[in-house]
Amino acid sequence: MTQQSRTAIVTGSARGIGAAIAKRLSGDGFAVAVLDLDEEACKPVRDEIISSGGSAIAVGVDVSDEAAVERGVSRIAEELGHPAVLVNNAGITRDNLLFKLSTGDWDAVMNVHLRGAFLMSRASQRYMTEAGWGES
């Protein structure tokens, strides 16, 4: 893959809004890590970016799993370069009336939305700091 000057990670980018964000960032010159729970599901977006002249990899990561996040972000930094941009787009729904919502469903939503955003931000920030992003 051709190394580009900046790398972006987009979680939840196998489809929908995340896929559109990944494609847009590629169009703006970023190498893009198309990240979602299922790496196979990321490959069509990755392939579209590459066929359009961009640089991308597909990465399967459960954003609520600390070890998986660390491995995924490390892989991205090695294959595409240190991330300059992180878009925490991953999300799940467990729509139900509150009194019918199970504790397990609540925990799953909170783990992806909150814990996932925290873990991805923490893992990415290490590389961003080393690269000098955000310094004045």
Side-chain angles (χ1 to χ4, degrees):
M1 264 175 236
T2 303
Q3 182 81 14
Q4 294 183 0
S5 61
R6 297 178 295 168
T7 297
I9 301 171
V10 184
T11 69
S13 56
R15 65 192 65 76
I17 293 170
I21 294 168
K23 293 172 197 175
R24 172 59 191 262
L25 286 167
S26 175
D28 289 343
F30 286 86
V32 180
V34 180
L35 189 145
D36 212 299
L37 185 59
D38 177 12
E39 189 163 320
E40 286 298 314
C42 298
K43 289 181 179 178
V45 176
R46 176 207 60 194
D47 293 347
E48 186 176 338
I49 289 170
I50 291 170
S51 70
S52 297
S55 180
I57 60 171
V59 183
V61 172
D62 175 351
V63 296
S64 69
D65 179 327
E66 186 172 6
V69 165
E70 291 294 330
R71 284 190 308 273
V73 173
S74 176
R75 176 181 162 206
I76 292 162
E78 289 172 18
E79 293 184 29
L80 290 180
H82 287 194
V85 171
L86 169 65
V87 178
N88 281 309
N89 176 70
I92 63 170
T93 60
R94 298 293 188 262
D95 292 334
N96 210 338
L97 296 173
L98 186 59
F99 72 92
K100 292 183 179 181
L101 188 67
S102 73
T103 303
D105 284 346
W106 171 261
D107 289 342
V109 170
M110 292 297 105
N111 281 337
V112 171
H113 291 227
L114 299 178
R115 179 182 170 88
F118 164 73
L119 293 174
M120 287 297 303
S121 296
R122 184 176 66 182
S124 298
Q125 182 187 24
R126 178 179 327 110
Y127 293 100
M128 293 173 181
T129 302
E130 288 175 10
W133 296 108
E135 293 180 0
S136 41

